[in-house]
Amino acid sequence: LLMAPDPSRGTSTLSFELLQPSRVEIELYTSLGTLHSVVYNGLLGAGYQTFPVQVAQSGAYFCVVRAGGRRQTVALNVVR
């Protein structure tokens, strides 16, 4: 699970690999734990995946990816 660039000026790319087709949920939260946005919610095939993540305000965020019964989190810092 990788978020780049970090820090960002507002647009970053989330990258990860799925070993098998899975239902995937990608959500972005503020540092206070408030849901900022749903980046993706649906089925994805196996392989390398990338998603643009856009944030308008400066701050610290956490991107949560749920897939195949697993949950992973990556930080994102936005500086405007």
Side-chain angles (χ1 to χ4, degrees):
L1 186 63
L2 176 68
M3 182 75 75
D6 184 28
S8 169
R9 293 223 177 257
T11 301
S12 288
T13 301
L14 174 69
S15 304
F16 58 93
E17 186 174 10
L18 293 174
L19 299 180
Q20 60 189 28
S22 300
R23 177 163 184 73
V24 177
E25 297 174 9
I26 304 171
E27 298 172 330
L28 191 65
Y29 290 88
T30 68
S31 60
L32 299 176
T34 304
L35 179 64
H36 177 274
S37 61
V38 175
V39 178
Y40 183 82
N41 187 354
L43 296 174
L44 290 175
Y48 190 71
Q49 311 292 333
T50 60
F51 287 89
V53 178
Q54 296 181 331
V55 179
Q57 285 189 307
S58 295
Y61 297 85
F62 296 94
C63 191
V64 177
V65 179
R66 292 180 190 91
R70 296 184 61 197
R71 177 184 173 204
Q72 291 185 296
T73 303
V74 65
L76 172 61
N77 295 293
V78 176
V79 180
R80 289 250 176 206

